[in-house]
Amino acid sequence: MRPQRLQHPSPGGSLARLLLLLALPGAAQGSFEVSVSPEAAMVEHGGSVWINCSTTCQNPAANGSLETSLTKADSKRGPGWAAFLLVAITEWVSAPQCYFTCDGDTKVAAANISSYRVPERVVLEPLPEMELGRAYNLTCWVLNVAPVTHLTVTLRQGGRTLHMETFQNHTGIGPNDIPVTHEITPRRWDHGQEITCHAALDLMPHGPHFENSSSVVELQEAESLTAKIIAISAIATISATLLSILAWGLAQRDRSRRKARPEPGEATSSQANFEMAQASTEDAPEEGGSLNPAEDTSP
Ligand SMILES: *[C@@H]1O[C@H](CO)[C@@H](O)[C@H](O)[C@H]1NC(C)=O
Ligand SMILES: *[C@@H]1O[C@H](CO)[C@@H](O)[C@H](O)[C@H]1NC(C)=O
Ligand SMILES: *[C@@H]1O[C@H](CO)[C@@H](O)[C@H](O)[C@H]1NC(C)=O
Ligand SMILES: *[C@@H]1O[C@H](CO)[C@@H](O)[C@H](O)[C@H]1NC(C)=O
Ligand SMILES: *[C@@H]1O[C@H](CO)[C@@H](O)[C@H](O)[C@H]1NC(C)=O
Ligand SMILES: *[C@@H]1O[C@H](CO)[C@@H](O)[C@H](O)[C@H]1NC(C)=O
Protein backbone atom coordinates (compact mmCIF):
# COMPACT_ATOMS: atom_id res chain seq x y z
CA MET A 1 0.00 0.00 0.00
CA ARG A 2 1.32 3.37 -1.05
CA PRO A 3 1.76 5.97 1.63
CA GLN A 4 -0.92 8.68 1.58
CA ARG A 5 0.45 12.04 0.58
CA LEU A 6 -1.23 15.34 1.02
CA GLN A 7 0.71 17.00 -1.75
CA HIS A 8 -0.37 16.38 -5.28
CA PRO A 9 2.32 14.19 -6.89
CA SER A 10 1.81 15.23 -10.50
CA PRO A 11 4.34 17.53 -12.24
CA GLY A 12 1.45 19.92 -13.18
CA GLY A 13 0.70 20.38 -9.46
CA SER A 14 4.29 21.33 -8.74
CA LEU A 15 4.15 23.91 -11.48
CA ALA A 16 0.97 25.38 -10.10
CA ARG A 17 2.60 25.57 -6.68
CA LEU A 18 5.61 27.32 -8.15
CA LEU A 19 3.43 29.87 -9.95
CA LEU A 20 1.54 30.49 -6.71
CA LEU A 21 4.79 31.16 -4.86
CA LEU A 22 5.91 33.54 -7.61
CA ALA A 23 2.62 35.38 -7.53
CA LEU A 24 2.62 35.70 -3.71
CA PRO A 25 6.20 36.45 -2.71
CA GLY A 26 4.99 37.70 0.70
CA ALA A 27 3.85 34.20 1.56
CA ALA A 28 7.35 32.94 0.97
CA GLN A 29 9.01 35.71 2.97
CA GLY A 30 6.81 35.37 6.04
CA SER A 31 3.10 36.17 5.77
CA PHE A 32 1.31 39.29 7.03
CA GLU A 33 -2.33 40.12 7.63
CA VAL A 34 -4.47 43.11 6.83
CA SER A 35 -7.52 43.90 8.92
CA VAL A 36 -10.12 46.62 9.07
CA SER A 37 -11.95 48.09 12.01
CA PRO A 38 -14.88 48.24 12.25
CA GLU A 39 -15.54 45.31 9.89
CA ALA A 40 -19.18 46.32 9.69
CA ALA A 41 -20.70 49.69 10.52
CA MET A 42 -24.21 51.10 10.59
CA VAL A 43 -24.07 54.82 9.91
CA GLU A 44 -26.93 57.27 9.81
CA HIS A 45 -27.72 58.29 6.24
CA GLY A 46 -25.49 61.26 5.47
CA GLY A 47 -23.32 60.56 8.53
CA SER A 48 -19.64 59.77 8.90
CA VAL A 49 -17.34 57.04 10.26
CA TRP A 50 -13.63 56.40 10.87
CA ILE A 51 -12.28 53.28 9.18
CA ASN A 52 -8.99 51.98 10.51
CA CYS A 53 -6.85 49.72 8.36
CA SER A 54 -4.01 47.88 10.04
CA THR A 55 -1.43 45.28 9.19
CA THR A 56 0.89 42.85 10.91
CA CYS A 57 3.61 43.67 8.36
CA GLN A 58 6.81 44.60 10.18
CA ASN A 59 8.24 46.63 7.33
CA PRO A 60 7.97 50.34 8.30
CA ALA A 61 7.64 51.22 4.61
CA ALA A 62 4.28 49.39 4.41
CA ASN A 63 1.79 51.97 3.30
CA GLY A 64 -1.94 51.52 3.75
CA SER A 65 -4.68 52.99 1.64
CA LEU A 66 -8.46 52.81 1.49
CA GLU A 67 -10.25 52.40 -1.79
CA THR A 68 -13.80 53.66 -1.77
CA SER A 69 -16.29 55.74 -3.68
CA LEU A 70 -17.20 57.47 -0.39
CA THR A 71 -15.70 60.85 0.46
CA LYS A 72 -12.56 60.84 2.62
CA ALA A 73 -12.37 63.97 4.72
CA ASP A 74 -9.38 63.17 6.94
CA SER A 75 -6.75 60.52 7.59
CA LYS A 76 -4.24 59.54 10.27
CA ARG A 77 -1.27 57.22 10.05
CA GLY A 78 0.85 55.29 12.46
CA PRO A 79 3.22 52.35 12.29
CA GLY A 80 1.23 49.50 10.72
CA TRP A 81 -2.05 51.41 10.45
CA ALA A 82 -3.89 54.09 8.53
CA ALA A 83 -7.29 55.48 9.48
CA PHE A 84 -9.67 57.37 7.21
CA LEU A 85 -12.67 59.54 8.00
CA LEU A 86 -15.54 58.87 5.57
CA VAL A 87 -18.17 61.60 5.48
CA ALA A 88 -21.57 62.36 3.93
CA ILE A 89 -22.32 58.66 3.56
CA THR A 90 -25.39 58.46 1.34
CA GLU A 91 -24.79 55.04 -0.19
CA TRP A 92 -27.10 52.51 1.46
CA VAL A 93 -24.43 49.80 1.31
CA SER A 94 -20.78 50.09 0.43
CA ALA A 95 -17.61 48.08 0.95
CA PRO A 96 -14.46 50.20 1.22
CA GLN A 97 -11.29 48.17 0.80
CA CYS A 98 -8.10 48.50 2.81
CA TYR A 99 -4.85 47.80 0.96
CA PHE A 100 -1.42 47.25 2.46
CA THR A 101 1.67 46.52 0.50
CA CYS A 102 4.39 44.69 2.40
CA ASP A 103 7.67 43.94 0.64
CA GLY A 104 5.98 44.05 -2.74
CA ASP A 105 3.02 41.91 -1.76
CA THR A 106 -0.44 43.50 -1.49
CA LYS A 107 -3.32 42.31 0.67
CA VAL A 108 -6.81 43.64 1.06
CA ALA A 109 -9.60 43.64 3.67
CA ALA A 110 -13.09 45.01 3.13
CA ALA A 111 -15.44 46.75 5.54
CA ASN A 112 -19.21 46.68 5.24
CA ILE A 113 -20.82 50.05 5.69
CA SER A 114 -24.60 50.33 5.67
CA SER A 115 -26.48 53.52 6.20
CA TYR A 116 -29.80 53.65 8.01
CA ARG A 117 -32.68 56.04 8.34
CA VAL A 118 -34.99 56.08 11.35
CA PRO A 119 -38.68 56.08 10.39
CA GLU A 120 -39.76 59.53 9.34
CA ARG A 121 -43.27 58.79 10.58
CA VAL A 122 -45.26 55.91 12.06
CA VAL A 123 -48.89 56.34 11.08
CA LEU A 124 -51.91 54.32 12.10
CA GLU A 125 -54.71 54.79 9.57
CA PRO A 126 -57.82 56.29 11.16
CA LEU A 127 -60.57 53.84 11.98
CA PRO A 128 -64.27 54.29 11.28
CA GLU A 129 -66.84 53.79 14.02
CA MET A 130 -67.04 50.03 14.11
CA GLU A 131 -69.98 47.70 14.09
CA LEU A 132 -69.67 44.84 16.53
CA GLY A 133 -68.82 41.48 14.97
CA ARG A 134 -67.71 42.95 11.63
CA ALA A 135 -64.08 42.61 10.42
CA TYR A 136 -61.90 45.66 9.96
CA ASN A 137 -58.27 46.07 8.95
CA LEU A 138 -55.88 47.97 11.16
CA THR A 139 -53.20 49.44 8.90
CA CYS A 140 -49.96 50.97 10.08
CA TRP A 141 -47.47 52.71 7.81
CA VAL A 142 -43.80 53.05 8.69
CA LEU A 143 -42.54 55.72 6.35
CA ASN A 144 -39.10 56.21 4.85
CA VAL A 145 -37.18 53.60 6.84
CA ALA A 146 -33.94 51.72 6.03
CA PRO A 147 -32.74 49.03 6.21
CA VAL A 148 -36.13 47.34 6.23
CA THR A 149 -34.49 44.01 7.13
CA HIS A 150 -33.81 45.41 10.63
CA LEU A 151 -37.36 46.65 11.20
CA THR A 152 -39.96 45.17 13.55
CA VAL A 153 -43.51 46.53 13.55
CA THR A 154 -45.92 45.78 16.39
CA LEU A 155 -49.62 46.60 16.62
CA ARG A 156 -50.89 46.82 20.19
CA GLN A 157 -54.29 47.10 21.79
CA GLY A 158 -53.91 48.46 25.28
CA GLY A 159 -50.90 46.55 26.66
CA ARG A 160 -51.58 43.51 24.49
CA THR A 161 -49.70 42.67 21.28
CA LEU A 162 -52.16 42.07 18.45
CA HIS A 163 -49.62 41.51 15.71
CA MET A 164 -45.87 41.61 15.16
CA GLU A 165 -44.05 41.57 11.86
CA THR A 166 -40.40 41.42 10.78
CA PHE A 167 -38.88 41.75 7.32
CA GLN A 168 -35.66 39.67 7.32
CA ASN A 169 -36.38 38.50 3.79
CA HIS A 170 -37.15 41.95 2.44
CA THR A 171 -35.26 42.49 -0.80
CA GLY A 172 -34.08 45.80 -2.13
CA ILE A 173 -31.89 48.30 -0.38
CA GLY A 174 -32.66 51.87 0.49
CA PRO A 175 -35.61 53.43 2.27
CA ASN A 176 -39.11 52.18 1.89
CA ASP A 177 -42.65 52.83 3.13
CA ILE A 178 -43.79 49.69 4.89
CA PRO A 179 -47.47 48.85 5.46
CA VAL A 180 -48.53 46.39 8.14
CA THR A 181 -52.11 45.16 8.22
CA HIS A 182 -53.98 43.19 10.83
CA GLU A 183 -57.63 42.23 10.79
CA ILE A 184 -59.72 42.74 13.92
CA THR A 185 -63.32 41.97 14.74
CA PRO A 186 -64.33 44.28 17.58
CA ARG A 187 -66.34 43.01 20.54
CA ARG A 188 -68.37 45.13 22.91
CA TRP A 189 -65.57 45.21 25.51
CA ASP A 190 -63.10 46.58 22.96
CA HIS A 191 -64.95 49.90 22.89
CA GLY A 192 -62.65 52.73 23.98
CA GLN A 193 -59.51 50.54 23.82
CA GLU A 194 -56.40 52.23 22.52
CA ILE A 195 -54.55 50.97 19.43
CA THR A 196 -50.93 51.94 18.79
CA CYS A 197 -48.32 50.99 16.24
CA HIS A 198 -44.67 50.61 17.25
CA ALA A 199 -41.67 50.51 14.94
CA ALA A 200 -38.30 49.27 16.16
CA LEU A 201 -35.17 49.64 14.06
CA ASP A 202 -32.58 47.39 15.68
CA LEU A 203 -29.10 47.91 14.23
CA MET A 204 -27.25 46.05 16.99
CA PRO A 205 -24.44 45.08 17.26
CA HIS A 206 -23.10 47.50 14.65
CA GLY A 207 -25.40 50.43 15.42
CA PRO A 208 -28.05 51.80 17.73
CA HIS A 209 -31.59 50.67 18.51
CA PHE A 210 -34.54 52.98 17.80
CA GLU A 211 -38.15 52.83 18.89
CA ASN A 212 -40.95 54.93 17.44
CA SER A 213 -44.68 54.93 18.05
CA SER A 214 -47.71 56.16 16.22
CA SER A 215 -50.26 58.34 17.93
CA VAL A 216 -53.10 56.52 19.66
CA VAL A 217 -56.29 55.53 17.84
CA GLU A 218 -59.31 54.61 19.95
CA LEU A 219 -61.69 51.82 18.98
CA GLN A 220 -65.12 53.43 18.62
CA GLU A 221 -68.18 51.27 18.52
CA ALA A 222 -70.78 52.56 16.11
CA GLU A 223 -74.19 53.18 17.71
CA SER A 224 -76.64 50.46 16.81
CA LEU A 225 -79.73 51.37 14.80
CA THR A 226 -81.99 51.20 17.90
CA ALA A 227 -79.58 53.39 19.82
CA LYS A 228 -79.69 55.89 16.98
CA ILE A 229 -83.50 55.93 16.90
CA ILE A 230 -83.64 56.43 20.66
CA ALA A 231 -81.05 59.19 20.43
CA ILE A 232 -82.91 60.94 17.61
CA SER A 233 -86.27 60.81 19.37
CA ALA A 234 -84.64 62.03 22.58
CA ILE A 235 -83.20 65.00 20.71
CA ALA A 236 -86.56 65.67 19.07
CA THR A 237 -88.37 65.58 22.45
CA ILE A 238 -85.84 67.89 24.06
CA SER A 239 -86.02 70.31 21.14
CA ALA A 240 -89.81 70.38 21.25
CA THR A 241 -89.76 71.01 25.01
CA LEU A 242 -87.20 73.79 24.63
CA LEU A 243 -89.29 75.41 21.90
CA SER A 244 -92.45 75.41 24.04
CA ILE A 245 -90.54 76.88 26.98
CA LEU A 246 -89.12 79.54 24.70
CA ALA A 247 -92.51 80.41 23.26
CA TRP A 248 -94.04 80.56 26.74
CA GLY A 249 -91.16 82.77 27.92
CA LEU A 250 -91.69 85.20 25.05
CA ALA A 251 -95.39 85.39 25.72
CA GLN A 252 -94.74 86.10 29.41
CA ARG A 253 -92.24 88.79 28.57
CA ASP A 254 -94.69 90.57 26.25
CA ARG A 255 -97.43 90.37 28.85
CA SER A 256 -95.28 91.89 31.62
CA ARG A 257 -93.94 94.57 29.28
CA ARG A 258 -97.43 95.63 28.35
CA LYS A 259 -98.41 95.85 32.02
CA ALA A 260 -95.50 98.17 32.75
CA ARG A 261 -96.30 100.35 29.71
CA PRO A 262 -97.63 103.88 30.34
CA GLU A 263 -101.21 104.77 29.33
CA PRO A 264 -101.46 105.08 25.53
CA GLY A 265 -102.34 108.75 25.81
CA GLU A 266 -99.19 109.65 27.69
CA ALA A 267 -96.80 108.19 25.12
CA THR A 268 -95.18 110.59 22.69
CA SER A 269 -95.86 109.76 19.06
CA SER A 270 -92.30 108.60 18.35
CA GLN A 271 -92.36 106.22 21.38
CA ALA A 272 -95.68 104.79 20.29
CA ASN A 273 -94.43 104.17 16.78
CA PHE A 274 -91.39 102.32 18.13
CA GLU A 275 -93.50 100.17 20.42
CA MET A 276 -95.88 99.39 17.59
CA ALA A 277 -93.12 98.40 15.24
CA GLN A 278 -91.65 96.08 17.86
CA ALA A 279 -95.01 94.62 18.75
CA SER A 280 -95.81 93.92 15.11
CA THR A 281 -92.84 91.63 14.71
CA GLU A 282 -93.28 89.85 18.04
CA ASP A 283 -97.00 89.64 18.41
CA ALA A 284 -98.17 89.12 14.88
CA PRO A 285 -98.39 85.30 14.95
CA GLU A 286 -100.17 84.84 18.25
CA GLU A 287 -102.40 87.89 18.21
CA GLY A 288 -103.97 87.47 14.80
CA GLY A 289 -102.17 90.35 13.16
CA SER A 290 -103.42 93.09 15.50
CA LEU A 291 -101.16 96.11 15.23
CA ASN A 292 -102.61 97.98 18.15
CA PRO A 293 -100.78 97.27 21.39
CA ALA A 294 -103.30 99.25 23.38
CA GLU A 295 -106.09 96.68 22.75
CA ASP A 296 -104.83 94.07 25.20
CA THR A 297 -104.05 96.39 28.06
CA SER A 298 -107.50 97.95 28.20
CA PRO A 299 -109.28 96.57 31.35
C1 LIG B 1 -20.29 42.08 4.39
O1 LIG B 1 -21.38 41.95 3.49
C2 LIG B 1 -21.37 40.76 2.74
C3 LIG B 1 -22.51 40.81 1.77
O2 LIG B 1 -23.48 41.69 2.15
C4 LIG B 1 -21.46 39.57 3.70
O3 LIG B 1 -21.42 38.39 2.98
C5 LIG B 1 -20.30 39.62 4.68
O4 LIG B 1 -20.45 38.59 5.62
C6 LIG B 1 -20.28 40.94 5.40
N1 LIG B 1 -19.12 41.01 6.23
C7 LIG B 1 -19.18 41.44 7.50
C8 LIG B 1 -17.87 41.47 8.21
O5 LIG B 1 -20.19 41.79 8.03
C1 LIG C 1 -5.88 51.99 14.29
O1 LIG C 1 -5.59 50.65 14.67
C2 LIG C 1 -4.28 50.49 15.22
C3 LIG C 1 -4.03 49.02 15.42
O2 LIG C 1 -5.17 48.34 15.84
C4 LIG C 1 -4.19 51.28 16.52
O3 LIG C 1 -2.92 51.12 17.08
C5 LIG C 1 -4.45 52.75 16.20
O4 LIG C 1 -4.46 53.53 17.37
C6 LIG C 1 -5.80 52.91 15.50
N1 LIG C 1 -5.95 54.30 15.07
C7 LIG C 1 -7.05 55.00 15.27
C8 LIG C 1 -7.05 56.39 14.75
O5 LIG C 1 -8.01 54.52 15.83
C1 LIG D 1 1.31 56.45 1.62
O1 LIG D 1 0.43 56.67 0.54
C2 LIG D 1 -0.21 57.94 0.56
C3 LIG D 1 -1.16 57.99 -0.58
O2 LIG D 1 -1.69 56.75 -0.86
C4 LIG D 1 0.81 59.04 0.49
O3 LIG D 1 0.15 60.28 0.59
C5 LIG D 1 1.79 58.89 1.62
O4 LIG D 1 2.79 59.83 1.51
C6 LIG D 1 2.38 57.51 1.62
N1 LIG D 1 3.20 57.35 2.79
C7 LIG D 1 4.37 56.76 2.75
C8 LIG D 1 5.09 56.67 4.05
O5 LIG D 1 4.80 56.26 1.73
C1 LIG E 1 -38.09 58.10 16.02
O1 LIG E 1 -37.10 58.07 17.02
C2 LIG E 1 -35.94 58.81 16.69
C3 LIG E 1 -34.96 58.66 17.82
O2 LIG E 1 -35.43 57.87 18.84
C4 LIG E 1 -36.30 60.28 16.46
O3 LIG E 1 -35.16 60.98 16.09
C5 LIG E 1 -37.35 60.36 15.39
O4 LIG E 1 -37.76 61.69 15.23
C6 LIG E 1 -38.54 59.52 15.75
N1 LIG E 1 -39.51 59.55 14.69
C7 LIG E 1 -40.81 59.61 14.94
C8 LIG E 1 -41.69 59.53 13.75
O5 LIG E 1 -41.26 59.70 16.07
C1 LIG F 1 -57.66 43.07 5.22
O1 LIG F 1 -56.53 43.01 4.38
C2 LIG F 1 -56.29 41.74 3.83
C3 LIG F 1 -55.01 41.78 3.06
O2 LIG F 1 -54.59 43.06 2.76
C4 LIG F 1 -57.47 41.35 2.95
O3 LIG F 1 -57.26 40.06 2.43
C5 LIG F 1 -58.73 41.36 3.79
O4 LIG F 1 -59.82 41.09 2.97
C6 LIG F 1 -58.91 42.71 4.45
N1 LIG F 1 -60.04 42.64 5.35
C7 LIG F 1 -60.97 43.58 5.39
C8 LIG F 1 -62.04 43.40 6.39
O5 LIG F 1 -60.93 44.58 4.68
C1 LIG G 1 -37.27 34.03 5.20
O1 LIG G 1 -36.70 33.08 4.31
C2 LIG G 1 -36.35 31.87 4.94
C3 LIG G 1 -35.63 31.00 3.95
O2 LIG G 1 -35.82 31.44 2.64
C4 LIG G 1 -37.61 31.20 5.47
O3 LIG G 1 -37.30 29.99 6.09
C5 LIG G 1 -38.28 32.14 6.46
O4 LIG G 1 -39.49 31.58 6.90
C6 LIG G 1 -38.53 33.48 5.82
N1 LIG G 1 -38.98 34.38 6.86
C7 LIG G 1 -40.06 35.14 6.72
C8 LIG G 1 -40.40 36.04 7.86
O5 LIG G 1 -40.74 35.11 5.72
Side-chain angles (χ1 to χ4, degrees), residues 35 37 50-55 76-84:
S35 58
S37 168
W50 275 97
I51 296 290
N52 189 349
C53 303
S54 52
T55 182
K76 291 176 186 171
R77 286 172 191 278
W81 63 268
F84 303 87

Side-chain angles (χ1 to χ4, degrees), residues 27-228:
Q29 295 163 15
S31 66
F32 71 104
E33 298 300 330
V34 172
S35 58
V36 59
S37 168
E39 284 187 327
M42 278 286 183
V43 182
E44 186 167 14
H45 190 69
S48 57
V49 67
W50 275 97
I51 296 290
N52 189 349
C53 303
S54 52
T55 182
T56 56
C57 175
Q58 298 300 307
N59 188 338
N63 193 2
S65 63
L66 186 71
E67 201 164 278
T68 177
S69 54
L70 300 173
T71 309
K72 287 179 232 171
D74 197 4
S75 67
K76 291 176 186 171
R77 286 172 191 278
W81 63 268
F84 303 87
L85 175 63
L86 303 177
V87 297
I89 297 171
T90 51
E91 286 182 29
W92 295 103
V93 287
S94 62
Q97 294 185 307
C98 281
Y99 286 91
F100 265 97
T101 303
C102 185
D103 300 326
D105 178 21
T106 299
K107 284 192 175 173
V108 61
N112 278 351
I113 300 181
S114 304
S115 56
Y116 66 83
R117 182 175 272 167
V118 294
E120 187 183 307
R121 289 207 297 149
V122 182
V123 186
L124 200 49
E125 283 185 1
L127 291 168
E129 288 195 342
M130 298 169 141
E131 285 167 32
L132 298 183
R134 222 190 99 182
Y136 295 86
N137 269 339
L138 293 174
T139 303
C140 176
W141 284 90
V142 181
L143 301 177
N144 208 0
V145 62
V148 175
T149 47
H150 292 244
L151 179 70
T152 303
V153 181
T154 313
L155 282 164
R156 290 194 196 137
Q157 174 176 338
R160 191 163 65 91
T161 295
L162 289 175
H163 180 70
M164 182 184 276
E165 207 164 315
T166 55
F167 306 87
Q168 285 104 337
N169 295 349
H170 180 89
T171 52
I173 50 174
N176 231 312
D177 295 340
I178 300 297
V180 171
T181 293
H182 178 67
E183 200 175 88
I184 58 165
T185 305
R187 307 298 173 92
R188 185 165 298 282
W189 51 84
D190 291 326
H191 179 74
Q193 292 260 302
E194 293 184 340
I195 305 286
T196 49
C197 180
H198 299 257
L201 188 64
D202 188 3
L203 308 168
M204 306 286 254
H206 304 300
H209 177 99
F210 296 98
E211 301 260 357
N212 287 98
S213 297
S214 68
S215 49
V216 171
V217 166
E218 213 171 89
L219 289 181
Q220 293 291 345
E221 180 193 323
E223 299 164 67
S224 68
L225 191 59
T226 337
K228 270 184 193 153

